[in-house]
Amino acid sequence: GGTGLMGAPTAARLLEAGRRVVIMSRGKTQGQGTNGRRPTTPAGAEMLLCDRDDEDAFVAALCSPDCPRVIVDFTAMKPSQVQSVRRAHEKLPLAHYIFVSTNMAYPGGVERMDVSATDGRIAEKSARLGSASEAPCNYGGNKLKCEALLHRYAAAAPPLRSTVVRPPAVVGAGCDPRHEKLQRLVLGLPPLPETKARPPAERPG
């Protein structure tokens, strides 16, 4: 992913830093933050059209000589998709794999965690990677299972070097508006206007 809410600005910053950027995308309109528009490629980036749900095509794309060996993965949502990355790595090793996870990897999400007795930071062990196999098969649980796989792959041969990023909040179109309200409060910006629910339309006679 490199055309949605997080991927597009990441690609733009890498390009500004003088990096070569290849975006793998389906080229469709369902991406988060695209507002139903077909995603556009940031100026200077190369586009590789591929649907990662087609596992063989995805592995072949990652093994292409033109594919960079450092991958930032915004779209892996389930263990089988990380397993596909591993398959590609076994064929043509990656230099580094960056997996974008979620703060929902913590049990119940961060909203249920009491940090009042700490400095506000959440202990890494709270994610319970050791019991990831018992995690529910929902968004947070599947991301945790993906993280556990990456821990295993780091010790396997050939080792897959990886970094896991758990964004504390994602702000923008199609996201939970509470995150944006909190960000604006921290930055000292005026609050967002409250939207009132429309009353139900009156039925004739």
Side-chain angles (χ1 to χ4, degrees):
T3 58
L5 191 63
M6 292 189 290
T10 300
R13 291 193 179 191
L14 287 171
L15 288 165
E16 289 171 3
R19 303 289 185 176
R20 174 176 174 253
V21 175
V22 178
I23 294 172
M24 183 183 293
S25 171
R26 296 167 300 173
K28 297 182 180 180
T29 60
Q30 293 95 332
Q32 189 180 43
T34 58
N35 293 321
R37 297 187 299 270
R38 185 169 295 279
T40 57
T41 307
E46 304 167 45
M47 178 68 84
L48 178 60
L49 291 178
C50 180
D51 187 343
R52 76 176 305 156
D53 286 333
D54 183 340
E55 184 176 353
D56 290 338
F58 177 72
V59 171
L62 286 187
C63 292
S64 166
D66 294 329
C67 184
R69 307 323 295 159
V70 176
I71 306 295
V72 183
D73 194 347
F74 294 95
T75 62
M77 300 291 176
K78 51 189 178 182
S80 61
Q81 293 175 326
V82 172
Q83 290 167 349
S84 297
V85 174
R86 174 68 191 181
R87 275 188 57 199
H89 177 66
E90 290 173 345
K91 293 175 179 290
L92 185 64
L94 296 171
H96 202 99
Y97 175 67
I98 301 169
F99 174 69
V100 180
S101 186
T102 174
N103 60 11
M104 294 303 293
Y106 300 105
V110 293
E111 293 175 347
R112 294 190 182 181
M113 305 203 75
D114 181 8
V115 295
S116 59
T118 72
D119 59 2
R121 289 181 289 186
I122 299 172
E124 173 64 25
K125 62 183 180 181
S126 300
R128 301 179 186 173
L129 281 171
S131 56
S133 61
E134 301 170 11
C137 291
N138 54 21
Y139 176 66
N142 281 332
K143 286 284 194 177
L144 185 66
K145 294 175 193 288
C146 290
E147 291 186 23
L149 278 178
L150 291 173
H151 275 253
R152 282 174 44 199
Y153 294 159
L160 175 57
R161 184 180 177 209
S162 62
T163 298
V164 173
V165 181
R166 296 180 187 142
V170 179
V171 178
C175 293
D176 188 332
R178 294 174 299 173
H179 296 163
E180 186 166 3
K181 290 179 181 179
L182 178 59
Q183 185 190 49
R184 293 177 71 88
L185 177 65
V186 171
L187 295 176
L189 298 174
L192 293 170
E194 293 292 335
T195 56
K196 296 182 179 180
R198 291 184 178 181
E202 294 184 2
R203 296 181 180 179

